[in-house]
Amino acid sequence: MRHRYYVRLREYDDRLFCWCNQSISHPLLDRLLKALTHLGSAAFTVPFAISVILFTNGIWQRAGWLSLSALIISHLLAVLIKRRFQRVRPYDVLAQAKMSILPLKDYSFPSGHTTAAFSTFIPFLFAAPSLAQVLLPLACMVGLSRIYLGVHYPSDVLAGALVGTVTALALVLGAGIA
């Protein structure tokens, strides 16, 4: 019984991946999502958090420290999960997968870019709740970009969002900011 549900979930994941990766393909989305995906990269998230720490004070600096801490902890969790599950990337499994960026060498589950985007952005929502209108859609777009560009399944992205969000919330709540 358990195996049947797993197979159904994998089939649904594959279909949703193919829809995001192929059916909504458009040159404008290609450019936009290739740019937005970098908001979840270490090249963006680490300097962003460090810049906030160095160039602000008060609640913003505290949010910067929480952001950097959540980023580090969630990254370590994501690496451990990747090693445990060792899920192969969709472009290695699905012949019809469209690759829009260079192939990656690590495992797929969970999405590290999505984890980083959510863990980095969530602490700032407590410094200024109105930022949710910008930061949450950006984090979601990072996740969508990973599917669209062919490097992650939707479940990888959902898991990354969960790991990043839970890590950030745990730190924010533990720090007593919320």
Side-chain angles (χ1 to χ4, degrees):
M1 187 94 147
R2 182 177 167 197
H3 176 69
R4 186 172 74 210
Y5 291 121
Y6 176 76
V7 170
R8 278 191 178 156
L9 285 173
R10 285 299 307 257
E11 289 171 354
Y12 182 73
D13 212 19
D14 289 351
R15 282 196 313 271
L16 191 54
F17 168 82
C18 288
W19 181 79
C20 289
N21 180 250
Q22 297 154 13
S23 297
I24 62 172
S25 183
H26 189 276
L28 180 61
L29 278 178
D30 291 350
R31 286 192 300 275
L32 178 64
L33 294 178
K34 278 183 184 177
L36 285 176
T37 203
H38 296 294
L39 294 178
S41 70
F44 175 80
T45 55
V46 173
F48 174 75
I50 291 173
S51 294
V52 172
I53 292 166
L54 294 176
F55 300 115
T56 66
N57 54 36
I59 193 159
W60 292 105
Q61 187 175 55
R62 193 169 182 186
W65 278 113
L66 289 168
S67 178
L68 183 62
S69 300
L71 179 62
I72 292 166
I73 294 168
S74 67
H75 173 73
L76 294 173
L77 289 171
V79 167
L80 289 173
I81 295 168
K82 282 179 187 266
R83 287 185 183 163
R84 168 68 174 94
F85 286 94
Q86 299 184 358
R87 186 178 196 187
V88 179
R89 293 193 180 267
Y91 56 77
D92 286 330
V93 177
L94 303 172
Q96 69 273 32
K98 181 184 83 171
M99 275 295 295
S100 298
I101 58 175
L102 295 174
L104 303 170
K105 298 187 187 311
D106 64 341
Y107 294 110
S108 179
F109 183 86
S111 166
H113 278 68
T114 309
T115 301
F118 277 87
S119 66
T120 301
F121 295 159
I122 294 290
F124 292 100
L125 303 183
F126 292 90
S130 62
L131 286 177
Q133 298 169 30
V134 174
L135 295 181
L136 288 178
L138 281 177
C140 290
M141 291 300 289
V142 168
L144 175 63
S145 75
R146 305 309 287 168
I147 303 165
Y148 184 88
L149 297 173
V151 293
H152 284 289
Y153 292 101
S155 58
D156 300 339
V157 168
L158 286 174
L162 183 65
V163 170
T165 299
V166 168
T167 303
L169 287 176
L171 288 172
V172 167
L173 295 173
I177 289 182

